[in-house]
Amino acid sequence: MSSAPGEAPQNTPDQAVQYEERLWPSPWVWLIAAGFSSATIVMFAPISMEVGYGAAAVVAVIVFTLLILSTPRITVTATTLTVGRATIERKYLGTVQWFTGDDATNQRGPGLNGLAYLCIRGWISPVVRIEISDPEDRTPYWLVSSRHPERLVAALAG
């Protein structure tokens, strides 16, 4: 079933979202962004306090907008996995494992394959490793940060 031009496509069971997560920055990242923005007041205070407050507001809008726009989304449907800008058909997914603590640190560091696709965020400790079985793809696996790794693994297993 296709949609007419200008009409929203109809959702099919294959497109129904089974799992979705946004990798939002942690509260401390937002606090650092706010502190950085307010520090511009000091830089512009010699000109005038009004200019300082105005500059701080402009910097805050820019920094917060960039944080929001750079927040990746993980989406699992019956047929695809999308992480950030990358999408792969689920038929090409192999073993899926999740790691926390020292194991997650090892996956992000010494145990990391240089050809892996990464969507990791420093403020999210757990990671999910998704092996890629596509013979045409040189990428051995995707390594993805997740606040709910057990849910992501369960969605990919189902």
Side-chain angles (χ1 to χ4, degrees):
M1 172 181 241
S2 63
S3 56
E7 187 178 306
Q10 300 294 323
N11 282 337
T12 64
D14 289 347
Q15 295 172 335
V17 174
Q18 297 176 347
Y19 177 83
E20 186 172 35
E21 178 180 0
R22 291 289 302 255
L23 303 179
W24 291 107
S26 294
W28 63 267
V29 174
W30 294 104
L31 288 173
I32 289 172
F36 173 75
S37 301
S38 62
T40 58
I41 296 171
V42 175
M43 293 178 0
F44 289 96
I47 298 171
S48 81
M49 287 305 288
E50 290 79 19
V51 171
Y53 289 128
V58 169
V59 169
V61 167
I62 292 169
V63 170
F64 283 91
T65 300
L66 289 174
L67 279 173
I68 291 168
L69 292 176
S70 67
T71 300
R73 180 186 314 263
I74 301 169
T75 307
V76 177
T77 68
T79 57
T80 62
L81 166 65
T82 301
V83 178
R85 296 181 192 158
T87 299
I88 189 168
E89 292 180 56
R90 288 184 58 184
K91 67 182 179 181
Y92 296 119
L93 301 184
T95 305
V96 181
Q97 300 171 288
W98 58 283
F99 302 91
T100 59
D102 290 339
D103 293 332
T105 301
N106 182 57
Q107 289 296 316
R108 290 188 302 266
L112 182 65
N113 183 320
L115 295 176
Y117 170 76
L118 302 177
C119 185
I120 54 177
R121 296 297 182 259
W123 50 80
I124 302 174
S125 179
V127 292
V128 176
R129 180 180 164 150
I130 306 160
E131 290 189 13
I132 306 301
S133 62
D134 182 359
E136 301 294 318
D137 193 344
R138 291 182 25 169
T139 307
Y141 61 88
W142 289 11
L143 191 63
V144 180
S145 292
S146 176
R147 285 195 172 90
H148 309 287
E150 65 284 345
R151 288 193 220 160
L152 176 55
V153 170
L156 290 171

